[in-house]
């Protein structure tokens, strides 16, 4: 199951293409990030993709595949590419990440591997999924 949550705390369980697209399109100051989590009791760890609309109107994307060592980040100016990434990740579509150059930022999270997802940007932090 996919759960999409924005900065204001609006959560959509069983998130669809339409719901994710609307949530992304509504990002702005005061509601600048969203998280899409894969909730599956059979997979240990944290599985999510998140996006931050930065002040310069670029989209910072991050995804994590289970463990801190598999936490990656990229930036795009295209809302369409950000949406394609969110939907591709959500559908587990092979090669969804190939359109980007991803940086592994997992070492920033290894010591806090038990913590909930946080965007790795400056001093600001994303609210933890489910508590946004």
């Amino acid at each position: 199951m996919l759960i999409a949550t924005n900065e204001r705390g609006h959560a959509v369980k069983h998130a669809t293409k339409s719901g994710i697209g609307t949530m992304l399109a509504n990002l702005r100051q005061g509601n600048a990030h969203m998280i899409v989590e894969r909730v599956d009791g059979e997979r240990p760890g944290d599985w999510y993709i998140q996006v931050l609309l930065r002040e310069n109107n670029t989209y910072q994307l991050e995804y994590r595949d289970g463990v801190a060592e598999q936490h990656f980040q990229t930036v795009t100016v295209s809302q369409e590419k950000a949406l394609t990434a969110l939907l591709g990740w959500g559908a587990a579509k092979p090669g969804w990440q190939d359109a980007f150059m991803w940086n592994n930022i997992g070492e920033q999270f290894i010591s806090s591997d038990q913590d909930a997802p946080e965007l790795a940007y400056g001093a600001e932090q994303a609210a933890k999924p489910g508590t946004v």
Side-chain angles (χ1 to χ4, degrees):
M1 171 176 60
L2 296 178
I3 300 173
T5 308
N6 68 17
E7 182 176 348
R8 291 188 175 159
H10 177 70
V12 177
K13 292 184 179 180
H14 303 286
T16 63
K17 178 180 180 178
S18 172
I20 292 170
T22 298
M23 194 173 282
L24 178 65
N26 288 325
L27 293 183
R28 56 190 37 85
Q29 183 120 10
N31 186 36
H33 71 266
M34 63 178 286
I35 300 169
V36 179
E37 295 178 272
R38 181 171 288 121
V39 180
D40 180 354
E42 297 178 19
R43 286 182 154 178
D46 295 320
W47 298 83
Y48 60 86
I49 188 166
Q50 54 192 357
V51 62
L52 166 70
L53 177 61
R54 299 165 92 181
E55 288 184 18
N56 64 359
N57 290 321
T58 60
Y59 295 88
Q60 179 176 310
L61 294 158
E62 294 183 16
Y63 75 94
R64 180 171 169 154
D65 283 344
V67 296
E69 292 84 2
Q70 295 298 311
H71 193 131
F72 300 89
Q73 180 183 81
T74 194
V75 176
T76 183
V77 296
S78 170
Q79 184 182 83
E80 183 178 334
K81 285 181 75 172
L83 179 59
T84 299
L86 290 168
L87 298 176
W89 180 90
K93 183 178 177 182
W96 68 266
Q97 67 273 56
D98 293 348
F100 301 95
M101 292 183 59
W102 295 92
N103 297 309
N104 187 325
I105 59 169
E107 66 186 33
Q108 297 177 31
F109 299 94
I110 291 173
S111 65
S112 62
D113 197 30
Q114 300 303 316
D115 293 343
E118 295 178 352
L119 284 168
Y121 57 93
E124 298 175 79
Q125 293 182 355
K128 295 178 180 172
T131 63
V132 187

